[in-house]
Amino acid sequence: DGGITQSPKYLFRKEGQNVTLSCEQNLNHDAMYWYRQDPGQGLRLIYYSQIVNDFQKGDIAEGYSVSREKKESFPLTVTSAQKNPTAFYLCATQDGGNQPQHFGDGTRLSIL
Amino acid sequence: DQQVKQNSPSLSVQEGRISILNCDYTNSMFDYFLWYKKYPAEGPTFLISISSIKDKNEDGRFTVFLNKSAKHLSLHIVPSQPGDSAVYFCAATYTGNQFYFGTGTSLTVIP
């Protein structure tokens, strides 16, 4: 989606290292989301944020952390506590409830 | 606990024919449903949505049908085109912001 930038597209890290995935948006949407996609599975919600300086855990928050210091930015940190971090990570924004979520192009994280 | 299910991992259709993608859900509280299309290495793109107060919504070649009693959602694409080849995800919510996604159906439209 135009307006949502995830970087980098591919990321490799050694086991035991923390890694931070970037998500920036210029859509002026209040809500932002992080999802994880594994092969053969749907998107699963990691964390979401409705407003600046506030965020909630999703279904699979263990081993992840987030911050929301600015409306435009919602970085996701994959910590060493995440047991199986290799996956495709998607960031999304939403302009109000019961509206479609708009997605970035994702970051594929591989742990070596 | 998979609340939204897409039981067909793949579907092949001839160009020009109808594609029907199906989705079942278990939570009767869901009141807003969406379909997304996804190409490899890209994020999902919103296609069409439907509120639970409706049973049908159309947008060009795409129509979504909702059968609340059966807890069933379907997406019809008519006529199917080769560019429609992608993975299609259905999603549902009852909070307006937390969405539950199906596992996806890979559609191949054969020229």
Side-chain angles (χ1 to χ4, degrees):
Chain A
D1 264 81
I4 303 171
T5 303
Q6 289 189 242
S7 60
K9 197 164 182 68
Y10 300 94
L11 190 54
F12 299 90
R13 279 295 181 269
K14 291 184 179 178
E15 202 168 331
Q17 287 183 334
N18 291 356
V19 61
T20 297
L21 282 60
S22 169
C23 180
E24 303 281 331
Q25 57 116 348
N26 62 7
L27 300 173
N28 201 35
H29 290 172
D30 285 318
M32 296 187 74
Y33 302 80
W34 274 106
Y35 290 91
R36 169 181 173 141
Q37 186 187 15
D38 293 284
Q41 296 199 35
L43 281 64
R44 292 184 291 166
L45 182 64
I46 304 172
Y47 268 99
Y48 65 103
S49 168
Q50 305 277 59
I51 57 172
V52 174
N53 292 323
D54 188 46
F55 48 82
Q56 284 78 41
K57 293 181 179 181
D59 297 324
I60 55 166
E62 186 176 349
Y64 299 97
S65 66
V66 293
S67 62
R68 186 86 187 276
E69 296 176 3
K70 300 186 299 182
K71 187 174 185 177
E72 302 79 19
S73 179
F74 190 41
L76 172 74
T77 296
V78 185
T79 75
S80 56
Q82 169 49 235
K83 294 176 183 176
N84 186 18
T86 295
F88 188 53
Y89 291 87
L90 285 159
C91 175
T93 70
Q94 188 183 22
D95 186 19
N98 273 16
Q99 293 293 320
Q101 293 183 353
H102 301 269
F103 288 84
D105 281 340
T107 293
R108 183 164 298 281
L109 173 63
S110 298
I111 301 299
L112 306 174
Chain B
D1 180 26
Q2 192 75 25
Q3 298 190 52
V4 177
K5 300 177 184 178
Q6 293 176 258
N7 293 317
S8 298
S10 62
L11 175 68
S12 292
V13 171
Q14 288 290 131
E15 180 178 4
R17 306 293 288 268
I18 184 171
S19 294
I20 301 176
L21 296 99
N22 294 303
C23 180
D24 296 297
Y25 60 94
T26 57
N27 191 335
S28 58
M29 293 177 64
F30 286 144
D31 60 4
Y32 182 62
F33 304 85
L34 309 91
W35 283 95
Y36 284 87
K37 176 180 180 179
K38 184 182 181 302
Y39 293 115
E42 293 184 9
T45 301
F46 169 69
L47 266 180
I48 191 168
S49 64
I50 188 167
S51 163
S52 61
I53 62 173
K54 295 184 174 182
D55 55 18
K56 178 182 175 181
N57 189 28
E58 287 182 80
D59 184 1
R61 296 187 297 115
F62 302 92
T63 302
V64 56
F65 294 92
L66 176 61
N67 183 334
K68 290 186 290 292
S69 61
K71 294 191 182 68
H72 181 78
L73 188 72
S74 64
L75 174 69
H76 292 207
I77 306 173
V78 185
S80 301
Q81 300 173 354
D84 296 329
S85 297
V87 177
Y88 290 79
F89 290 95
C90 62
T93 182
Y94 59 90
T95 63
N97 46 48
Q98 283 189 272
F99 288 80
Y100 295 86
F101 285 81
T103 52
T105 296
S106 178
L107 173 66
T108 301
V109 180
I110 304 164

